[in-house]
Amino acid sequence: MDLHILDHKLRVTSITKTGLQQYTHPLIKLIFLRNRTRCKFFSLTETPENYTVVLDEEGFKELQPSEHLQVEGSTWLPLNVVSNGNASSSSQAVGVTKIAKSVIAPLAEQHVSVFMLSTYQTDFILVREKDLSVVVETLLEEFNIFREEGGESVPVHSQDACNGLQRNGREGPHATVHPVLIPENQFCVMSLDPDTLPAIATTLIDVLFYSNSPKEGASVDQDMECIKFFSFSLIDGYISLVMDTEAQRQFPADLLFTSSSGELWRMVRIGGQPLGFDECGIVAQISQPLADSDISAYYISTFSFDHALVKYDLIGRFSQHSVYFHDVM
């Protein structure tokens, strides 16, 4: 298999619920006015706490500093696994499970933090730019590694990694057991032809910016049956949407599409308190049991918490195999 280091330098940010109004215009520009921005990698995810925005340097210029904007200090690089010339995609019904043992677990063993972003089309593994040499050295035996530069795929060799594994300088990951919440929502992972984006503009704006969301600082406790979660990604011209079935009903059924089986997903929300960005192995702790049980899953990290999406009819198998599961359904 091939591993591609994509030609994007990304920032991970968070916008408060109370500060969203200040950023509505630049976010609408990034979503709908592709010809007026040079942003090629954009992802917006709403959770009960905040909005997580992951975007490249061009898109980041659109977000003005304010008390409502938090920015993680690192530059992140997206990695993508390619098999037989095609990106590892949701149509193969494996998602993050496919890369749990070959990518996620080895990076966790080398104390590399990852930020996951699964989309309808593929799975992006974000790593800090400063950790790239460790990533290359760790994965070079398993993958042919290429770096995308100006539209060309340039092979990466071991000697290209100027820092060895012993220079990571981090302590090993601690086996922190994070509480897990499984809300009752049923979720859909969908896509959309970018040319038809204007046809759903009104609905999308309403869902993202004007829907009844929990108030700022609202907690998600174990008694909450459903949580607010909506994710929109526009990456290199491909659109991915993750929403619950209640939000889905607001969109025209003939414009959004999913896999032929039309499966529904349940969410596994990881973390009782904000997870931060420095703890290593969180994704591996969740994805490893999924891989061992051959359970398909998407995985979306946000500024505060992580979220795995497991097929609706398999959520029971996940709870049986994961020591991190707490019965809050």
Side-chain angles (χ1 to χ4, degrees):
M1 292 190 292
D2 296 341
L3 180 75
H4 287 248
I5 306 165
L6 304 183
D7 193 12
H8 300 291
K9 292 190 175 184
L10 307 178
R11 305 304 300 270
V12 179
T13 72
S14 170
I15 298 173
T16 65
K17 290 292 184 76
T18 55
L20 178 64
Q21 183 177 359
Q22 182 174 333
Y23 291 95
T24 299
H25 180 268
L27 291 176
I28 288 178
K29 178 180 179 181
L30 289 165
I31 294 172
F32 296 105
L33 305 178
R34 289 177 292 158
N35 295 332
R36 298 189 182 181
T37 174
R38 297 173 62 186
C39 180
K40 302 299 182 185
F41 193 110
F42 173 82
S43 178
L44 171 65
T45 301
E46 180 185 2
T47 62
E49 300 77 24
N50 50 41
Y51 293 84
T52 296
V53 185
V54 181
L55 68 181
D56 61 23
E57 292 175 321
E58 290 296 328
F60 184 62
K61 295 175 182 177
E62 302 287 342
L63 304 182
Q64 296 300 313
S66 81
E67 62 181 343
H68 298 291
L69 179 70
Q70 283 185 276
V71 182
E72 202 283 325
S74 304
T75 297
W76 297 78
L77 303 177
L79 314 178
N80 183 226
V81 173
V82 175
S83 178
N84 297 323
N86 296 308
S88 175
S89 66
S90 59
S91 61
Q92 297 171 302
V94 287
V96 71
T97 305
K98 182 175 182 178
I99 58 176
K101 295 181 178 180
S102 60
V103 179
I104 304 301
L107 293 182
E109 291 173 0
Q110 295 300 330
H111 325 320
V112 174
S113 298
V114 300
F115 187 97
M116 281 296 306
L117 178 60
S118 292
T119 68
Y120 178 86
Q121 292 81 17
T122 191
D123 300 286
F124 296 101
I125 311 108
L126 276 59
V127 299
R128 287 184 170 96
E129 186 175 36
K130 64 182 180 181
D131 290 335
L132 182 60
S133 59
V134 179
V135 172
V136 170
E137 290 284 358
T138 302
L139 302 179
L140 201 54
E141 290 187 6
E142 180 75 20
F143 294 94
N144 300 312
I145 302 180
F146 299 87
R147 184 156 193 168
E148 302 293 335
E149 297 180 359
E152 299 292 331
S153 297
V154 180
V156 176
H157 305 289
S158 180
Q159 59 267 28
D160 296 330
C162 58
N163 297 316
L165 296 179
Q166 302 304 317
R167 298 187 184 182
N168 202 5
R170 297 183 186 172
E171 296 181 0
H174 301 287
T176 302
V177 178
H178 294 284
V180 170
L181 172 71
I182 303 183
E184 291 294 335
N185 311 50
Q186 298 179 30
F187 289 88
C188 310
V189 181
M190 314 188 78
S191 188
L192 173 75
D193 184 339
D195 291 336
T196 63
L197 186 58
I200 67 164
T202 302
T203 303
L204 186 57
I205 290 174
D206 181 61
V207 170
L208 281 174
F209 303 119
Y210 299 105
S211 61
N212 295 322
S213 301
K215 295 181 179 179
E216 181 73 21
S219 62
V220 178
D221 57 38
Q222 293 187 350
D223 295 326
M224 182 175 289
E225 294 183 355
C226 298
I227 68 169
K228 176 70 175 182
F229 187 93
F230 188 95
S231 184
F232 173 92
S233 298
L234 176 55
I235 301 173
D236 290 330
Y238 293 95
I239 293 176
S240 176
L241 301 105
V242 179
M243 67 187 82
D244 65 14
T245 51
E246 181 178 350
Q248 180 197 14
R249 285 192 288 268
Q250 301 181 49
F251 290 87
D254 58 334
L255 294 181
L256 300 180
F257 53 88
T258 183
S259 63
S260 57
S261 56
E263 59 268 278
L264 295 175
W265 304 78
R266 290 286 298 279
M267 175 177 290
V268 180
R269 174 183 159 107
I270 302 101
Q273 299 294 326
L275 299 172
F277 292 87
D278 293 326
E279 182 180 346
C280 304
I282 298 175
V283 180
Q285 291 171 356
I286 296 297
S287 62
Q288 190 67 44
L290 296 173
D292 291 342
S293 302
D294 196 27
I295 298 175
S296 301
Y298 293 89
Y299 200 104
I300 299 177
S301 302
T302 63
F303 207 88
S304 300
F305 300 99
D306 281 8
H307 309 80
L309 292 173
V310 180
K311 283 187 177 182
Y312 179 81
D313 57 346
L314 297 179
I315 193 67
R317 287 177 57 193
F318 168 77
S319 64
Q320 293 170 5
H321 289 83
S322 175
V323 297
Y324 307 97
F325 172 74
H326 292 251
D327 188 2
V328 296
M329 291 187 291

